[in-house]
PDB file of all heavy atoms in Angstrom:
ATOM      1  N   LEU A 520     -27.912   8.665 -15.605  1.00  0.00           N
ATOM      2  CA  LEU A 520     -28.128   7.702 -14.529  1.00  0.00           C
ATOM      3  C   LEU A 520     -27.041   7.906 -13.476  1.00  0.00           C
ATOM      4  O   LEU A 520     -25.854   7.975 -13.803  1.00  0.00           O
ATOM      5  CB  LEU A 520     -28.059   6.277 -15.078  1.00  0.00           C
ATOM      6  CG  LEU A 520     -28.368   5.130 -14.116  1.00  0.00           C
ATOM      7  CD1 LEU A 520     -29.838   5.141 -13.711  1.00  0.00           C
ATOM      8  CD2 LEU A 520     -28.012   3.783 -14.761  1.00  0.00           C
ATOM      9  N   PHE A 521     -27.447   8.009 -12.225  1.00  0.00           N
ATOM     10  CA  PHE A 521     -26.513   8.292 -11.139  1.00  0.00           C
ATOM     11  C   PHE A 521     -26.532   7.126 -10.154  1.00  0.00           C
ATOM     12  O   PHE A 521     -27.573   6.819  -9.570  1.00  0.00           O
ATOM     13  CB  PHE A 521     -26.898   9.588 -10.428  1.00  0.00           C
ATOM     14  CG  PHE A 521     -26.886  10.791 -11.336  1.00  0.00           C
ATOM     15  CD1 PHE A 521     -28.009  11.117 -12.104  1.00  0.00           C
ATOM     16  CD2 PHE A 521     -25.753  11.581 -11.446  1.00  0.00           C
ATOM     17  CE1 PHE A 521     -27.996  12.206 -12.957  1.00  0.00           C
ATOM     18  CE2 PHE A 521     -25.729  12.682 -12.294  1.00  0.00           C
ATOM     19  CZ  PHE A 521     -26.851  12.996 -13.050  1.00  0.00           C
ATOM     20  N   VAL A 522     -25.387   6.467  -9.991  1.00  0.00           N
ATOM     21  CA  VAL A 522     -25.290   5.322  -9.080  1.00  0.00           C
ATOM     22  C   VAL A 522     -24.264   5.647  -7.996  1.00  0.00           C
ATOM     23  O   VAL A 522     -23.068   5.762  -8.265  1.00  0.00           O
ATOM     24  CB  VAL A 522     -24.894   4.030  -9.815  1.00  0.00           C
ATOM     25  CG1 VAL A 522     -24.959   2.843  -8.844  1.00  0.00           C
ATOM     26  CG2 VAL A 522     -25.813   3.780 -11.008  1.00  0.00           C
ATOM     27  N   PHE A 523     -24.763   5.799  -6.779  1.00  0.00           N
ATOM     28  CA  PHE A 523     -23.919   6.010  -5.602  1.00  0.00           C
ATOM     29  C   PHE A 523     -23.712   4.626  -4.972  1.00  0.00           C
ATOM     30  O   PHE A 523     -24.607   4.102  -4.301  1.00  0.00           O
ATOM     31  CB  PHE A 523     -24.599   6.944  -4.604  1.00  0.00           C
ATOM     32  CG  PHE A 523     -24.980   8.287  -5.172  1.00  0.00           C
ATOM     33  CD1 PHE A 523     -26.193   8.449  -5.847  1.00  0.00           C
ATOM     34  CD2 PHE A 523     -24.162   9.394  -5.028  1.00  0.00           C
ATOM     35  CE1 PHE A 523     -26.567   9.682  -6.359  1.00  0.00           C
ATOM     36  CE2 PHE A 523     -24.519  10.639  -5.530  1.00  0.00           C
ATOM     37  CZ  PHE A 523     -25.727  10.788  -6.193  1.00  0.00           C
ATOM     38  N   HIS A 524     -22.568   4.026  -5.211  1.00  0.00           N
ATOM     39  CA  HIS A 524     -22.346   2.639  -4.820  1.00  0.00           C
ATOM     40  C   HIS A 524     -22.054   2.506  -3.320  1.00  0.00           C
ATOM     41  O   HIS A 524     -21.352   3.327  -2.745  1.00  0.00           O
ATOM     42  CB  HIS A 524     -21.164   2.053  -5.591  1.00  0.00           C
ATOM     43  CG  HIS A 524     -21.353   2.030  -7.070  1.00  0.00           C
ATOM     44  ND1 HIS A 524     -20.779   2.957  -7.912  1.00  0.00           N
ATOM     45  CD2 HIS A 524     -22.082   1.194  -7.858  1.00  0.00           C
ATOM     46  CE1 HIS A 524     -21.122   2.694  -9.157  1.00  0.00           C
ATOM     47  NE2 HIS A 524     -21.917   1.630  -9.155  1.00  0.00           N
ATOM     48  N   GLY A 525     -22.573   1.442  -2.743  1.00  0.00           N
ATOM     49  CA  GLY A 525     -22.208   1.074  -1.382  1.00  0.00           C
ATOM     50  C   GLY A 525     -21.048   0.097  -1.387  1.00  0.00           C
ATOM     51  O   GLY A 525     -20.720  -0.509  -2.416  1.00  0.00           O
ATOM     52  N   SER A 526     -20.402  -0.066  -0.242  1.00  0.00           N
ATOM     53  CA  SER A 526     -19.413  -1.128  -0.010  1.00  0.00           C
ATOM     54  C   SER A 526     -18.246  -1.139  -0.998  1.00  0.00           C
ATOM     55  O   SER A 526     -17.681  -2.199  -1.267  1.00  0.00           O
ATOM     56  CB  SER A 526     -20.105  -2.505  -0.024  1.00  0.00           C
ATOM     57  OG  SER A 526     -21.052  -2.601   1.008  1.00  0.00           O
ATOM     58  N   GLU A 527     -17.863   0.022  -1.495  1.00  0.00           N
ATOM     59  CA  GLU A 527     -16.667   0.074  -2.358  1.00  0.00           C
ATOM     60  C   GLU A 527     -15.427  -0.286  -1.573  1.00  0.00           C
ATOM     61  O   GLU A 527     -14.547  -1.013  -2.058  1.00  0.00           O
ATOM     62  CB  GLU A 527     -16.534   1.472  -2.969  1.00  0.00           C
ATOM     63  CG  GLU A 527     -15.437   1.583  -4.030  1.00  0.00           C
ATOM     64  CD  GLU A 527     -14.088   2.029  -3.483  1.00  0.00           C
ATOM     65  OE1 GLU A 527     -13.967   2.284  -2.259  1.00  0.00           O
ATOM     66  OE2 GLU A 527     -13.121   2.123  -4.269  1.00  0.00           O
ATOM     67  N   GLU A 528     -15.341   0.217  -0.344  1.00  0.00           N
ATOM     68  CA  GLU A 528     -14.149  -0.022   0.469  1.00  0.00           C
ATOM     69  C   GLU A 528     -14.023  -1.481   0.903  1.00  0.00           C
ATOM     70  O   GLU A 528     -12.965  -1.896   1.368  1.00  0.00           O
ATOM     71  CB  GLU A 528     -14.167   0.882   1.716  1.00  0.00           C
ATOM     72  CG  GLU A 528     -14.226   2.371   1.433  1.00  0.00           C
ATOM     73  CD  GLU A 528     -12.936   2.928   0.838  1.00  0.00           C
ATOM     74  OE1 GLU A 528     -11.985   2.133   0.625  1.00  0.00           O
ATOM     75  OE2 GLU A 528     -12.876   4.134   0.587  1.00  0.00           O
ATOM     76  N   ARG A 529     -15.053  -2.262   0.728  1.00  0.00           N
ATOM     77  CA  ARG A 529     -15.013  -3.687   1.063  1.00  0.00           C
ATOM     78  C   ARG A 529     -14.628  -4.536  -0.143  1.00  0.00           C
ATOM     79  O   ARG A 529     -14.674  -5.756  -0.071  1.00  0.00           O
ATOM     80  CB  ARG A 529     -16.371  -4.145   1.612  1.00  0.00           C
ATOM     81  CG  ARG A 529     -16.896  -3.395   2.817  1.00  0.00           C
ATOM     82  CD  ARG A 529     -16.209  -3.796   4.100  1.00  0.00           C
ATOM     83  NE  ARG A 529     -14.852  -3.306   4.221  1.00  0.00           N
ATOM     84  CZ  ARG A 529     -14.521  -2.073   4.609  1.00  0.00           C
ATOM     85  NH1 ARG A 529     -15.456  -1.205   4.911  1.00  0.00           N
ATOM     86  NH2 ARG A 529     -13.258  -1.712   4.696  1.00  0.00           N
ATOM     87  N   GLY A 530     -14.265  -3.911  -1.264  1.00  0.00           N
ATOM     88  CA  GLY A 530     -13.845  -4.667  -2.446  1.00  0.00           C
ATOM     89  C   GLY A 530     -14.712  -4.416  -3.664  1.00  0.00           C
ATOM     90  O   GLY A 530     -15.005  -5.340  -4.420  1.00  0.00           O
ATOM     91  N   LEU A 531     -15.121  -3.158  -3.871  1.00  0.00           N
ATOM     92  CA  LEU A 531     -15.962  -2.764  -5.025  1.00  0.00           C
ATOM     93  C   LEU A 531     -17.258  -3.571  -5.058  1.00  0.00           C
ATOM     94  O   LEU A 531     -17.776  -3.896  -6.133  1.00  0.00           O
ATOM     95  CB  LEU A 531     -15.210  -2.958  -6.356  1.00  0.00           C
ATOM     96  CG  LEU A 531     -13.770  -2.461  -6.446  1.00  0.00           C
ATOM     97  CD1 LEU A 531     -13.225  -2.664  -7.865  1.00  0.00           C
ATOM     98  CD2 LEU A 531     -13.650  -1.000  -6.055  1.00  0.00           C
ATOM     99  N   LEU A 532     -17.822  -3.858  -3.891  1.00  0.00           N
ATOM    100  CA  LEU A 532     -18.945  -4.792  -3.841  1.00  0.00           C
ATOM    101  C   LEU A 532     -20.237  -4.188  -4.386  1.00  0.00           C
ATOM    102  O   LEU A 532     -21.015  -4.875  -5.046  1.00  0.00           O
ATOM    103  CB  LEU A 532     -19.138  -5.301  -2.410  1.00  0.00           C
ATOM    104  CG  LEU A 532     -17.947  -6.067  -1.824  1.00  0.00           C
ATOM    105  CD1 LEU A 532     -18.276  -6.596  -0.435  1.00  0.00           C
ATOM    106  CD2 LEU A 532     -17.513  -7.213  -2.742  1.00  0.00           C
ATOM    107  N   GLY A 533     -20.488  -2.905  -4.112  1.00  0.00           N
ATOM    108  CA  GLY A 533     -21.701  -2.284  -4.639  1.00  0.00           C
ATOM    109  C   GLY A 533     -21.691  -2.178  -6.148  1.00  0.00           C
ATOM    110  O   GLY A 533     -22.709  -2.424  -6.816  1.00  0.00           O
TER     111      GLY A 533
END
Side-chain angles (χ1 to χ4, degrees):
L520 185 68
F521 300 86
V522 186
F523 303 85
H524 299 101
S526 298
E527 188 268 359
E528 301 290 1
R529 304 283 73 81
L531 314 183
L532 299 183

